[in-house]
Amino acid sequence: MKGPLFYSKILLFGEYGIIKDSKGLSIPYNFYNGALKTDENPSEAAVESNESLKRFVSYLEGISPELVTFDIELLKQHVTAGMYFDSSIPQGYGVGSSGALVAAIYDKYAQNKITVLENLTREKLLKLKAIFSAMESFFHGKSSGLDPLNSYLSIPILIKSKDNIEATGIPSQKNEGKNAVFLLDSGIIGETAPMVSLFMENMKQEGFRSMLKNQFIKHTDACIDDFLNGNIKSLFKNTKSLSKVVLNHFKPMIPQQFHELWKKGIETNEYYLKLCGSGGGGYILGFTEDIDKAKKSLRDYKLEVVYNF
């Protein structure tokens, strides 16, 4: 048996900020995906995934039935029979591996589920987000629910604030476009939970809170408006400012060996780097006005183009 595919996601803008009510923009990334499967001869990875699913099932039994109910008996039956999540989504890379799993479980086992085909009102989107937040907290300690939402709906989502989210359209891709968004592989697995607790610790300082509000969130919101409205010149100006703020104030979230590379992008204007997810490893997100120049400058690194415009 093999279930439907659920895709990875990329939070283009809004990492950390959305915890404190900045805007956010999340897009599906179809390069990676995952599905629920059962095999006759499971691999080692499949056995490991199945073990993790067993723990997840126990956790799901504790979620408030007011929020969501599952066909737990059927789920247990399938998990006992060896069901696992077969995924090409790298874990700890900030592209939503647990989000896709949560979406797959909800899709198959939730009762009275909200489907993608319905008219997705803001209420329905918020309800889904709340359900996914409760489900995904098993993996991260605290989840916004956005990754699974993106994976489940497979459409770009604009977060205007905690209680205001909507499906959105993004400028169409131009294959020959020189402007590009890309992923840079840090070669290190990132752990979400420690990075988020470090951020929460920093939030206790007045100076950090004011930087977040007056610089980080201000530039993040401006980048999203520019991107959605196609104001390319302004987008790169704001992305550069955002890249600087992150380098100055989120250093621990950037792997040490990328500090110089980050700085070089800002100084040469060949590319601007930002965090992809919580940082600490995984992918780093890049923006460039000239993808050929950026590729040349970053030729020693593994680079994947996500979006040309």
Side-chain angles (χ1 to χ4, degrees):
M1 95 170 203
K2 189 168 172 28
L5 287 179
F6 289 91
Y7 296 105
S8 53
K9 66 85 204 131
I10 290 174
L11 186 62
L12 277 188
F13 298 104
E15 69 294 336
Y16 289 110
I18 53 174
I19 300 178
K20 292 291 159 203
D21 246 10
S22 78
K23 287 184 179 176
L25 179 64
S26 183
I27 63 171
Y29 182 42
N30 299 353
F31 187 72
Y32 295 119
N33 55 54
L36 293 166
K37 266 177 88 172
T38 313
D39 281 348
E40 288 290 303
N41 302 305
S43 66
E44 206 173 306
V47 173
E48 209 174 295
S49 165
N50 175 256
E51 284 304 317
S52 167
L53 272 182
K54 283 178 188 162
R55 294 190 293 277
F56 190 37
V57 173
S58 308
Y59 171 82
L60 292 179
E61 286 186 276
I63 288 184
S64 159
E66 328 272 71
L67 186 62
V68 62
T69 54
F70 299 95
D71 187 340
I72 286 284
E73 286 320 302
L74 184 65
L75 175 54
K76 279 184 172 166
Q77 202 183 313
H78 288 165
V79 170
T80 308
M83 182 174 78
Y84 68 99
F85 191 58
D86 180 31
S87 166
S88 66
I89 308 170
Q91 289 185 356
Y93 262 67
V95 286
S97 52
S98 56
L101 166 59
V102 165
I105 294 284
Y106 177 82
D107 179 62
K108 194 164 170 66
Y109 302 100
Q111 294 171 322
N112 308 318
K113 69 176 183 190
I114 296 167
T115 71
V116 186
L117 304 169
E118 291 173 40
N119 173 19
L120 290 167
T121 59
R122 198 176 102 194
E123 282 67 34
K124 282 181 187 169
L125 282 173
L126 285 171
K127 168 108 202 242
L128 270 175
K129 181 174 175 283
I131 290 168
F132 288 149
S133 164
M135 289 174 73
E136 200 186 30
S137 292
F138 169 76
F139 299 97
H140 292 322
K142 185 181 189 318
S143 156
S144 66
L146 282 167
D147 289 4
L149 186 65
N150 208 293
S151 189
Y152 183 61
L153 301 174
S154 221
I155 46 179
I157 290 166
L158 173 64
I159 301 108
K160 289 186 166 171
S161 67
K162 269 195 192 65
D163 319 317
N164 191 352
I165 54 177
E166 58 186 48
T168 187
I170 55 176
S172 51
Q173 292 226 46
K174 294 193 180 83
N175 288 339
E176 69 294 341
K178 262 188 165 345
N179 302 311
V181 180
F182 60 86
L183 290 174
L184 208 56
D185 189 346
S186 73
I188 304 160
I189 290 177
E191 289 277 344
T192 301
M195 291 295 137
V196 173
S197 42
L198 186 63
F199 173 77
M200 289 311 200
E201 203 46 49
N202 287 342
M203 281 303 287
K204 292 175 183 168
Q205 300 159 22
E206 175 54 41
F208 188 86
R209 286 202 301 274
S210 111
M211 172 282 300
L212 195 78
K213 185 173 161 214
N214 301 321
Q215 298 177 45
F216 187 83
I217 290 179
K218 188 184 111 190
H219 297 314
T220 295
D221 290 359
C223 284
I224 292 172
D225 293 342
D226 289 339
F227 185 77
L228 293 179
N229 297 317
N231 302 331
I232 306 298
K233 216 169 181 48
S234 177
L235 169 70
F236 282 103
K237 189 171 135 277
N238 281 308
T239 307
K240 179 177 184 172
S241 303
L242 186 58
S243 185
K244 267 188 200 158
V245 171
V246 174
L247 183 61
N248 292 333
H249 300 281
F250 288 79
K251 267 222 169 71
M253 283 79 165
I254 304 169
Q256 186 69 44
Q257 61 273 46
F258 286 90
H259 291 184
E260 278 309 309
L261 202 67
W262 204 285
K263 208 165 109 202
K264 184 184 155 202
I266 295 167
E267 286 166 359
T268 61
N269 295 315
E270 287 174 351
Y271 56 85
Y272 306 123
L273 300 179
K274 61 183 291 298
L275 296 172
C276 178
S278 56
Y283 284 119
I284 291 167
L285 203 51
F287 286 74
T288 178
E289 293 181 82
D290 186 338
I291 188 60
D292 298 328
K293 245 189 202 154
K295 276 182 175 166
K296 205 165 146 194
S297 181
L298 297 165
R299 60 183 169 277
D300 298 337
Y301 299 86
K302 233 167 97 184
L303 184 150
E304 283 170 34
V305 175
V306 171
Y307 193 84
N308 292 86
F309 59 105

